[in-house]
Amino acid sequence: MSFHLPKLPYEKTALEPYISRDTLNFHYDKHHQTYVTKLNELVEGTGFAEMELEDVIRETEGNKDFIGIFNNAAQVWNHTFYWHCMKKDGGGKPTAPLLKRLEESFDTYENFCFLFKQAALTQFGSGWAWLVEEAGALKILKTPNAETPLTKDVKTLLTCDVWEHAYYLDYQNRRPDYVDTFLNHLVNWDFVEKNLHS
Ligand code: MN
């Protein structure tokens, strides 16, 4: 086995009532695990089996011969990153100096929330909303399916999974409520801060 499912950084009930244990039972144990299992099947006997996950993603991105490996590898990485983007009693306005960075790039924290939510809601179908640092400025991106800013020349700071499997059990079709809750109650700003200085 080349790749493993990393441990969740908290208990399955830690994000309740905002994200339920049921959601994590499916999202982590089933969806995330399946990406790991499929990736291992696809790389078996290839040079990718010996590579770091990040290198597999960078090497296979945009290559139609390796689309399955890219999709599963990127989803393994995106999900591990996403789990760390949340914590118990997270969300709300971060403290300085991160708040200052957000204000420099988005004018106000409220405008950052508006733009992040807009990216999350306008990602048609499955995908991800991201906060990244590019050339010294903070920027919001959205990516479809498994695509990830990891392959771009940016520093990845924060993500919100907007695949339906991330929120359907708790919010059904109400993606806006899920994204509001993510911003107001779940974001792990300590992790964002750590990424900014990595
Ligand atoms: Mn997901």
Side-chain angles (χ1 to χ4, degrees), residues 46-89:
T46 74
F48 295 120
E50 312 305 319
M51 289 166 59
E52 294 295 326
L53 182 65
E54 288 83 353
D55 294 330
V56 173
I57 295 166
R58 292 189 181 105
E59 290 284 320
T60 56
E61 200 249 342
N63 187 330
K64 63 176 171 26
D65 293 337
F66 299 125
I67 186 76
I69 293 176
F70 171 79
N71 282 337
N72 285 285
Q75 283 294 77
V76 171
W77 191 90
N78 289 347
H79 280 89
T80 302
F81 190 82
Y82 168 67
W83 304 134
H84 285 87
C85 287
M86 299 182 287
K87 69 170 191 178
K88 186 179 181 60
D89 300 324

Side-chain angles (χ1 to χ4, degrees), residues 27 79 128 161 163 165:
H27 199 180
H79 280 89
W128 302 81
D161 186 345
W163 285 57
H165 67 219

Side-chain angles (χ1 to χ4, degrees), residues 91-131:
K93 216 182 229 192
T95 49
L98 192 53
L99 179 61
K100 194 163 173 286
R101 291 297 309 272
L102 289 172
E103 289 172 346
E104 279 166 8
S105 294
F106 306 109
D107 200 23
T108 61
Y109 167 73
E110 289 72 22
N111 194 44
F112 154 75
C113 290
F114 173 80
L115 294 171
F116 190 87
K117 186 175 173 185
Q118 193 175 53
L121 299 188
T122 57
Q123 174 50 50
F124 184 76
S126 297
W128 302 81
W130 304 86
L131 177 67

Side-chain angles (χ1 to χ4, degrees), residues 166-181:
Y167 60 86
Y168 209 84
L169 290 178
D170 296 321
Y171 299 89
Q172 293 76 50
N173 62 330
R174 291 176 284 116
R175 192 190 287 191
D177 292 351
Y178 158 67
V179 178
D180 279 339
T181 303

Side-chain angles (χ1 to χ4, degrees), residues 132-139 141 153-155:
V132 301
E133 185 191 50
E134 183 177 34
L138 303 191
K139 198 174 161 182
L141 303 176
D153 194 17
V154 300
K155 200 179 267 187

